[in-house]
Amino acid sequence: MGTREDIVGAAAQIMRTEGFARATTKEIARAAGYSEATLYKHFRDKTEIFLHVLDGRLPGLGALLAELEQYPGRGEVRANLEELVITALRFYADAFPLAVSLFSSRQLLDAHRARIDELGGGGPHYPLVALARYLAEEQRRGRIGAGADPEAMAGLLLGACFQHAFLVTFSGEEASSAQLSALARRLVATVLEPTVSDGGG
């Protein structure tokens, strides 16, 4: 791996075990085997590193959402959403321990939010917005019923994934792949069953 990858990998490990607030750039650099000065040659601050951790070291929720948005109408709606839910379940379960310490201090959260805005946006609302856009496009194509509410559907699916991450983090018991698949099928069926048109899969 290169220097940037080493730093992101070390940050991911420390943030998982210590949380965002306690993962200092000094500790991250030391764990990666570099000086703090070297770290700052590659990243402007800890928030930028954190965003790279979310983007590159956790299950690819953002990449899958981008793919769905780019290629609507491909595959079956149900299968697409089941894959998305499994990915989101894994993403939030991995991300929750990293991000939870952000909420321990209003000052820390405000500073982090401002820094994300400076770096070009993003944030926890992005998956909801992207999924709602995908669902709206499938609705426009007639693959989801006209009476469906894409924003509500996105909120119900991803909200359930986030709640699952909270429960997994609290219990310390990880779900198996079979359990995640079964949960994804149930969630998608509950949200999608009344809305899928005959062409939706």
Side-chain angles (χ1 to χ4, degrees):
M1 292 193 300
T3 303
R4 287 174 63 88
E5 291 77 12
D6 290 340
I7 292 170
V8 171
Q13 180 60 36
I14 294 173
M15 289 177 181
R16 280 191 178 98
T17 56
E18 302 295 331
F20 177 88
R22 298 184 63 184
T24 65
T25 53
K26 182 177 181 180
E27 288 297 321
I28 292 169
R30 183 166 61 184
Y34 300 102
S35 68
E36 196 171 8
T38 298
L39 180 149
Y40 281 115
K41 289 180 181 178
H42 294 273
F43 300 97
R44 284 181 282 179
D45 54 25
K46 186 169 66 173
T47 295
E48 187 175 359
I49 298 173
F50 177 69
L51 294 177
H52 276 79
V53 169
L54 292 182
D55 184 55
R57 292 280 168 168
L58 299 179
L61 180 59
L64 180 54
L65 283 166
E67 183 179 349
L68 289 175
E69 282 197 90
Q70 186 175 359
Y71 301 107
R74 186 172 67 178
E76 295 184 348
V77 172
R78 187 184 307 276
N80 291 343
L81 291 180
E82 287 179 4
E83 180 185 5
L84 177 78
V85 168
I86 291 171
T87 303
L89 286 166
R90 289 175 171 150
F91 175 85
Y92 287 125
D94 279 357
F96 198 89
L98 276 67
V100 67
S101 64
L102 284 171
F103 296 87
S104 64
S105 162
R106 171 58 63 180
Q107 183 179 6
L108 177 62
L109 181 59
D110 289 345
H112 184 73
R113 186 188 303 113
R115 188 71 183 99
I116 286 178
D117 290 341
E118 290 176 13
L119 292 170
H125 63 283
Y126 165 73
L128 284 169
V129 173
L131 179 54
R133 285 197 300 252
Y134 164 70
L135 292 169
E137 180 57 29
E138 293 289 25
Q139 185 179 52
R140 189 188 69 79
R141 292 166 177 261
R143 284 161 43 98
I144 293 176
D149 184 333
E151 291 185 5
M153 292 171 68
L156 289 168
L157 286 173
L158 293 180
C161 294
F162 190 83
Q163 182 196 41
H164 180 267
F166 169 77
L167 296 174
V168 166
T169 301
F170 181 80
S171 70
E173 298 178 2
E174 295 185 10
S176 67
S177 295
Q179 289 172 322
L180 292 180
S181 296
L183 178 56
R185 287 193 297 271
R186 294 197 304 272
L187 289 174
V188 172
T190 299
V191 171
L192 200 58
E193 200 67 48
T195 70
V196 176
S197 72
D198 291 339

